[in-house]
Amino acid sequence: MPYFIFYSLCLSIFFFAGCDSRKIIVPEFDEQNSMRLLTKLVSFGPRSAGTAANLRQAEFIAETARGYGAITNSIKFKQLTTEGLLEFINIEAVIPGRRKEFIIIGSHFDTKKMPAGIKFEGANDGASSTALLLEMIRTIKASETKPEYTLKFVFFDGEECFNEYGNNDALFGSKHYANQMKEQNLLPQCRALILLDMVGDKDLNITLPLDSDKGLSEMLFKAAARTGNSKYFDYLPTSLIDDHIPFKKMGIPAIDIIDFDFGPGNSFWHSSEDNIKNVSAKSLKIIGETTLNLLFLGNFAKKT
Ligand SMILES: [Zn+2]
């Protein structure tokens, strides 16, 4: 009998797993639309936190996500910075799933405040991941496939520091959002934080920081294998300060999908070379289709 029970159990696991994977159709990512969105975001000009261009861009993000069918929420807050008291705005765009437990997909939309005289587009650092999230919202809402988990796309303000990355400079939006989740007792419902940052480099080479959650990293590598994109994904030999940190500190499995190798020796990072010429629709497609595959076919069940 034990053999029979074991055999039946295996059969039913294979049967249900097989049925499930056949049913799920991963929404198709449109790189041309994401490139159009990226170009639009860049057209707002330099858009560091607290500027009028930043606010106009935030309104565009919220309107676009709402137009695509997500439930949006603009969260304004004030914070003392080295530049004085600034107003920040996080945008949350929610797609309800079959479960109320949720996954956060994050991107910062502010750009680095640069010294006068430097023409800074932030096409990669700011616009690429933001455009990618918007296109993911569009394609998921347009598809027939309802996600299993509720998806919260969160556009963080104030990722960039004004002077030096540290406790009271940088990550303003993600810290505020993570603290809010804690206050609202939402932490137990959050299954993962998937952060995207600098994902448009035309010479794409994703370098997951070492402090990314191991389980999530493996799930991402599997999604990359399923989409034929394995060669673009690897580890960075170090950790990074980015918007995943406040969530990681609260015990949420977090991953930072970042290409921190932008131009020779990362020399395009925070420079005038971070422009439209150095990003590509193909890179957006690779990250978009891999992330969608992870969201729809990844196993986000809580480990017991
Ligand atoms: Zn940056």
Side-chain angles (χ1 to χ4, degrees):
M1 280 308 278
Y3 170 78
F4 174 72
I5 290 166
F6 176 69
Y7 183 65
S8 315
L9 194 66
C10 287
L11 264 187
S12 39
I13 287 167
F14 282 124
F15 179 72
F16 285 117
C19 278
D20 249 17
S21 55
R22 272 200 301 272
K23 262 194 311 206
I24 298 170
I25 299 164
V26 180
E28 202 165 323
F29 190 85
D30 181 347
E31 70 270 34
Q32 297 309 330
N33 191 48
S34 61
M35 200 62 189
R36 270 193 296 276
L37 289 162
L38 185 153
T39 307
K40 173 71 185 175
L41 297 172
V42 167
S43 76
F44 286 98
R47 43 207 185 280
S48 61
T51 61
N54 175 285
L55 189 60
R56 279 198 297 276
Q57 185 193 211
E59 283 162 2
F60 169 79
I61 292 166
E63 273 166 30
T64 305
R66 202 161 41 244
Y68 288 158
I71 302 158
T72 61
N73 183 18
S74 299
I75 307 153
K76 287 187 178 172
F77 61 99
K78 286 189 176 138
Q79 190 97 30
L80 194 60
T81 72
T82 54
E83 306 283 294
L85 189 66
L86 291 186
E87 185 161 88
F88 295 88
I89 180 167
N90 284 334
I91 310 289
E92 181 189 62
V94 180
I95 299 179
R98 286 184 277 124
R99 298 169 181 246
K100 69 176 182 327
E101 289 94 347
F102 60 90
I103 298 167
I104 300 172
I105 306 99
S107 157
H108 78 89
F109 65 86
D110 62 307
T111 53
K112 176 78 176 162
K113 187 176 181 185
M114 301 296 274
I118 295 182
K119 192 174 176 291
F120 187 64
E121 291 185 7
N124 191 25
D125 192 359
S128 67
S129 49
T130 303
L132 206 143
L133 259 61
L134 285 172
E135 166 54 19
M136 281 202 282
I137 293 170
R138 187 199 66 74
T139 191
I140 293 169
K141 285 303 292 183
S143 83
E144 299 287 304
T145 315
K146 189 168 185 169
E148 182 178 2
Y149 290 92
T150 292
L151 302 178
K152 294 190 178 184
F153 292 86
V154 186
F155 302 87
F156 300 118
D157 199 358
E159 183 271 341
E160 302 287 2
C161 66
F162 293 102
N163 289 309
E164 215 177 322
Y165 286 99
N167 267 344
N168 299 311
D169 198 2
L171 316 185
F172 293 100
S174 51
K175 273 186 200 164
H176 185 268
Y177 190 84
N179 284 331
Q180 234 185 354
M181 276 174 57
K182 192 177 177 186
E183 281 163 20
Q184 294 169 356
N185 200 24
L186 288 172
L187 294 178
Q189 290 179 32
C190 183
R191 290 297 167 89
L193 175 281
I194 299 166
L195 181 70
L196 288 92
D197 194 5
M198 298 175 70
V199 288
D201 183 359
K202 65 181 177 188
D203 175 23
L204 189 69
N205 181 22
I206 291 297
T207 46
L208 297 178
L210 269 186
D211 61 337
S212 293
D213 179 80
K214 287 286 162 292
L216 276 180
S217 301
E218 278 167 29
M219 278 162 61
L220 178 72
F221 290 137
K222 281 182 189 163
R226 286 192 294 266
T227 45
N229 292 324
S230 290
K231 67 175 175 178
Y232 299 105
F233 291 83
D234 207 343
Y235 279 110
L236 190 72
T238 59
S239 298
L240 275 186
I241 296 176
D242 207 345
D243 283 323
H244 63 306
I245 297 288
F247 298 89
K248 193 178 147 68
K249 279 185 178 165
M250 290 189 182
I252 292 168
I255 190 173
D256 186 8
I257 303 176
I258 186 168
D259 175 350
F260 203 55
D261 183 21
F262 188 27
N266 202 26
S267 57
F268 292 177
W269 178 54
H270 291 176
S271 83
S272 56
E273 290 301 314
D274 184 350
N275 57 38
I276 296 254
K277 280 186 295 197
N278 286 318
V279 297
S280 78
K282 186 186 171 202
S283 297
L284 296 177
K285 171 87 173 174
I286 291 162
I287 302 302
E289 69 185 5
T290 306
T291 308
L292 283 168
N293 192 288
L294 169 68
L295 287 173
F296 281 81
L297 299 182
N299 177 10
F300 292 91
K302 225 172 198 160
K303 311 276 179 299
T304 48

